[in-house]
Amino acid sequence: MGYYTYGLPTFLIIVIALYLLFTGSGEAFNVGRFLEETSPYAWAGTGVGLCIGLSVLGAGWGILVTGSSILGGGVRSPRITTKNLISIIFCEVVAIYGVIIGIVYTSKLQSVPENLLYTPENYFTGYALFWGGLTVGLCNLLCGVAVGITGSTAALADAADPNLFVKILVVEVFGSIMGLFGLIVGLLMVSSAADFSAASGAATAVVSPYVH
């Protein structure tokens, strides 16, 4: 298992790299070229998609875990089905965090002609939206999993002993705060990024030679 997990991908990467190197195509590994020739819109759109998609995935995962435990524990103790719905709300809030950040990021997307798009400012905005969206999405994904597992435990513990519900709920609240941390960090990452705008002059329109 360890060989296929680590050895095989490394072997394939080395083989492909040597093939490109000895066939005169080593420049295909030019990371700077990839960053320059990729449209800032692509970076921004990918960031927004990752932000919302991973947040919804985390929320759905948490609801799946928590909901199944509530239904299962409710068979034995029907009283838990009402107050444990707060765990479902905590999971849903994770998706709302992602939607909020997605709306904020989308507001920075403005229509710019292609010949005036590739400026340092627009590159910075595209990169900031991508990494900000990825950060928020991953935070919300992990937050949804944490809240879901904790909410599942809270439901089963409440079914066994009603006195444990409040104690485990405190842990669940602290787990849900991680998503709020991701939201704040996502806002900070794009606080210095301006909206997409056209180049104001020939001096600022620095287009990469790789862009066609």
Side-chain angles (χ1 to χ4, degrees):
M1 182 63 181
Y3 172 77
Y4 290 103
T5 303
Y6 302 103
L8 184 60
T10 304
F11 174 75
L12 292 177
I13 291 175
I14 293 175
V15 170
I16 295 174
L18 291 176
Y19 171 78
L20 294 176
L21 179 63
F22 290 115
T23 56
S25 302
E27 62 181 10
F29 280 95
N30 191 337
V31 179
R33 174 175 181 174
F34 171 75
L35 295 176
E36 289 183 354
E37 70 183 3
T38 304
S39 171
Y41 281 130
W43 291 108
T46 304
V48 173
L50 288 173
C51 175
I52 299 178
L54 292 177
S55 298
V56 173
L57 177 61
W61 196 340
I63 292 174
L64 172 65
V65 175
T66 304
S68 59
S69 296
I70 293 176
L71 294 176
V75 174
R76 175 183 174 183
S77 301
R79 58 178 176 77
I80 73 169
T81 57
T82 300
K83 61 180 179 179
N84 278 277
L85 290 178
I86 190 173
S87 300
I88 302 295
I89 296 175
F90 282 148
C91 294
E92 191 65 30
V93 168
V94 173
I96 295 176
Y97 287 158
V99 173
I100 292 174
I101 294 297
I103 294 174
V104 174
Y105 285 6
T106 304
S107 65
K108 293 184 177 295
L109 300 179
Q110 306 294 333
S111 178
V112 178
E114 184 177 2
N115 60 331
L116 301 176
L117 174 63
Y118 296 91
T119 63
E121 292 79 10
N122 290 338
Y123 274 122
F124 176 79
T125 300
Y127 296 149
L129 294 181
F130 173 77
W131 291 110
L134 181 61
T135 301
V136 175
L138 290 177
C139 287
N140 288 334
L141 175 61
L142 296 177
C143 176
V145 173
V147 172
I149 295 176
T150 309
S152 173
T153 306
L156 298 179
D158 185 27
D161 185 359
N163 296 325
L164 296 175
F165 175 74
V166 176
K167 299 177 182 179
I168 300 180
L169 186 63
V170 173
V171 180
E172 188 174 356
V173 170
F174 280 105
S176 66
I177 293 176
M178 292 191 301
L180 185 60
F181 290 160
L183 184 145
I184 295 173
V185 172
L187 292 176
L188 291 176
M189 292 180 70
V190 299
S191 59
S192 300
D195 296 350
F196 280 107
S197 59
S200 58
T204 60
V206 182
V207 182
S208 170
Y210 302 119
V211 177
H212 304 287

